[in-house]
Amino acid sequence: MRISRRELAGWLAASGMARGGRAAPQEPDASHLGNLYPFIQKLADGAPHELSFLRPEFRDLKNWQRRARAKVFELLLYTPPPVAPQPELIAKTERDGYLEEYLSFQTAPETRVRGYVLVPKNLKAPAPGVVVLHSHDGIYLWGKEKVIEGRDEHPWLTRFKQQRYAGRGIAADLARRGYVTIAIDMFYWGERRMLLDDDPPAWRERPRTMTEEEIQNFNRRASQNESLVARSLLTAGASWPGILVWDDIRALDYLASRPEVDKRRLASVGLSVGGFRSFMLAALDERIKAAVDVGWMTSFGSQIKRHVINSMGLSFMPAGLYRHLDLPDLAAAVAPRALLVINGSEDRLFAPDGVKAAFEKIARCYAKAGAAERQRCSLYDAPHEFNAEMQAEAWKWLERWV
């Protein structure tokens, strides 16, 4: 059975990406917030963006970057002490064109994650490395598996990858192109998903015989509990975005430590929340020499009227960021390193004027940084996906800059 775009979009809206309990208004100009909208929009419109690099008082890029990054890390509410990765190899498999290592490593004193490292065969010298970051998509059963080539993977996952990734395991494709790649589960996804004591065996074991109903029920339950987990982390004095960012930085740490990797040539790429993660990783860690952000770029203020419910999650949005910086302002934290942003004009997660404003601001940030040629923002006539044409552009971008 093949899932149509309409069926997939409808299911995601019902059980994963949409978090509201009622249907959205049908009027094209109505806000999901009803009578509360004017007040909330005024708050956004009044945000001073006091740390935007485009403000005239900021002239020194390096000084601004130190200040902006410090503010973002402050808002993340999570700064675990450094730990040695202490990797443990679980399995090693020879694949077509690369070796696949399934392993675990430490990211914080209380956190050990599992991931895949894909190493091109017959390397004669250290190769560039890429952190490959999976999507949200309201599909929690699988995380890193979305970007690798599965062995006997569940047919539902295969169909999903056909819809979102043109059927490709992008981490594997990059390994065949000569990059060492790493992919881990985002907190709450894949092997880090939330399980309860009385959950059925299928939810625990993810067998290939798992029914579509069982898959949908798990993803629906996980979606409904995102806010509970986010609120619990805040109660504990931390934030979900902080855990996300630090896990990705620690994955970069481990990738850079590998003998097969040239630590001077590191990159990141992702779709959807993976694109957001790629952008944030590049903004916060200067080791990333080129970043590809697919399907996640907008001006936050433009999202409020009708586009928050399907896009802006407590699982990855730093609280209060918009008071200091709009998301595209962080492009100046990537500059002068290379940044490619790709969005689809048919992507209903984002307000079109927000995407346009973000693209324009990114260009202005790079122009002020004196690196206009090192950024590109591409808009495709496409929905929320990382299709074959987008992948071709992304791989050329990495070849050019990494």
Side-chain angles (χ1 to χ4, degrees):
M1 181 186 72
R2 179 176 175 81
I3 305 172
S4 72
R5 291 189 188 280
R6 179 175 295 178
E7 289 169 335
L8 180 61
W11 181 78
L12 291 175
S15 64
M17 295 298 286
R19 298 176 178 84
R22 298 181 62 187
Q26 297 303 308
E27 297 82 357
D29 295 324
S31 172
H32 295 166
L33 295 166
N35 66 311
L36 299 182
Y37 168 67
F39 167 69
I40 297 175
Q41 188 66 60
K42 284 180 181 179
L43 291 177
D45 293 344
H49 297 165
E50 59 200 22
L51 284 182
S52 173
F53 181 61
L54 297 177
R55 292 175 67 98
E57 61 264 35
F58 296 118
R59 297 181 177 87
D60 185 292
L61 180 63
K62 286 293 183 182
N63 286 340
W64 175 87
Q65 288 176 337
R66 282 192 289 270
R67 185 171 172 182
R69 288 178 187 135
K71 175 55 67 176
V72 174
F73 280 122
E74 175 188 330
L75 296 173
L76 290 174
L77 303 178
Y78 182 72
T79 311
V83 294
Q86 304 176 59
E88 295 181 3
L89 182 65
I90 300 169
K92 189 171 185 177
T93 307
E94 187 169 328
R95 305 297 298 272
D96 178 19
Y98 63 92
L99 297 176
E100 175 190 278
E101 293 187 11
Y102 175 47
L103 47 77
S104 68
F105 60 93
Q106 210 78 17
T107 60
E110 67 283 351
T111 306
R112 190 168 188 86
V113 305
R114 292 188 176 190
Y116 289 97
V117 174
L118 310 183
V119 181
K121 288 183 180 178
N122 304 317
L123 281 182
K124 294 182 173 59
V130 183
V131 182
V132 183
L133 303 152
H134 69 77
S135 64
H136 182 305
D137 277 308
I139 296 171
Y140 305 81
L141 268 176
W142 299 285
K144 59 188 180 299
E145 296 86 359
K146 297 174 183 176
V147 296
I148 67 162
E149 290 179 334
R151 296 183 304 278
D152 298 322
E153 70 182 10
H154 196 287
W156 201 99
L157 177 59
T158 301
R159 294 193 296 269
F160 163 79
K161 288 161 73 171
Q162 290 168 351
Q163 295 293 336
R164 285 292 189 261
Y165 294 93
R168 308 300 303 174
I170 60 173
D173 284 354
L174 285 168
R176 292 193 186 95
R177 289 174 172 269
Y179 301 90
V180 181
T181 60
I182 188 170
I184 67 168
D185 287 318
M186 181 175 162
F187 176 70
Y188 199 67
W189 268 258
E191 292 185 273
R192 304 174 76 184
R193 66 195 182 278
M194 186 178 77
L195 293 170
L196 305 179
D197 290 343
D198 57 352
D199 281 345
W203 287 11
R204 294 181 172 280
E205 300 164 11
R206 301 183 299 178
R208 199 171 185 277
T209 55
M210 194 174 189
T211 67
E212 183 168 341
E213 182 180 8
E214 289 171 326
I215 293 170
Q216 292 182 357
N217 286 342
F218 179 87
N219 288 326
R220 185 177 296 110
R221 199 273 299 273
S223 175
Q224 292 166 350
N225 280 291
E226 263 201 41
S227 64
L228 170 62
V229 174
R231 287 156 53 199
S232 299
L233 289 168
L234 289 172
T235 302
S239 81
W240 198 326
I243 294 169
L244 175 155
V245 165
W246 279 104
D247 281 343
D248 291 342
I249 290 174
R250 297 299 185 235
L252 179 63
D253 287 345
Y254 176 62
L255 180 66
S257 75
R258 299 273 307 206
E260 307 94 339
V261 175
D262 182 349
K263 61 176 60 69
R264 300 166 301 174
R265 295 187 291 158
L266 299 170
S268 58
V269 61
L271 165 67
S272 190
V273 76
F276 179 89
R277 293 162 65 195
S278 176
F279 180 72
M280 292 295 289
L281 182 59
L284 297 175
D285 197 313
E286 291 185 333
R287 291 175 295 177
I288 296 293
K289 301 307 179 187
V292 179
D293 170 0
V294 182
W296 222 111
M297 180 52 64
T298 187
S299 173
F300 286 168
S302 299
Q303 293 291 104
I304 293 170
K305 188 173 185 179
R306 287 184 57 83
H307 291 83
V308 166
I309 193 169
N310 290 335
S311 62
M312 313 296 280
L314 290 170
S315 54
F316 59 93
M317 298 306 306
L321 180 65
Y322 195 64
R323 301 299 300 171
H324 309 280
L325 296 156
D326 196 0
L327 181 65
D329 282 313
L330 281 172
V334 183
R337 293 166 292 129
L339 173 65
L340 172 63
V341 178
I342 298 174
N343 267 57
S345 63
E346 298 302 314
D347 189 337
R348 303 308 182 193
L349 294 179
F350 303 102
D353 60 335
V355 175
K356 179 181 178 183
F359 281 14
E360 291 173 351
K361 181 169 276 192
I362 290 170
R364 290 168 59 205
C365 285
Y366 266 76
K368 185 174 179 180
E373 78 286 354
R374 288 176 172 263
Q375 67 82 30
R376 182 189 301 162
C377 294
S378 297
L379 189 66
Y380 284 75
D381 182 16
H384 191 68
E385 65 182 12
F386 193 10
N387 64 37
E389 188 179 0
M390 295 172 180
Q391 290 176 30
E393 181 178 7
W395 306 159
K396 286 180 181 178
W397 186 257
L398 294 183
E399 288 171 10
R400 178 180 180 186
W401 296 111
V402 182

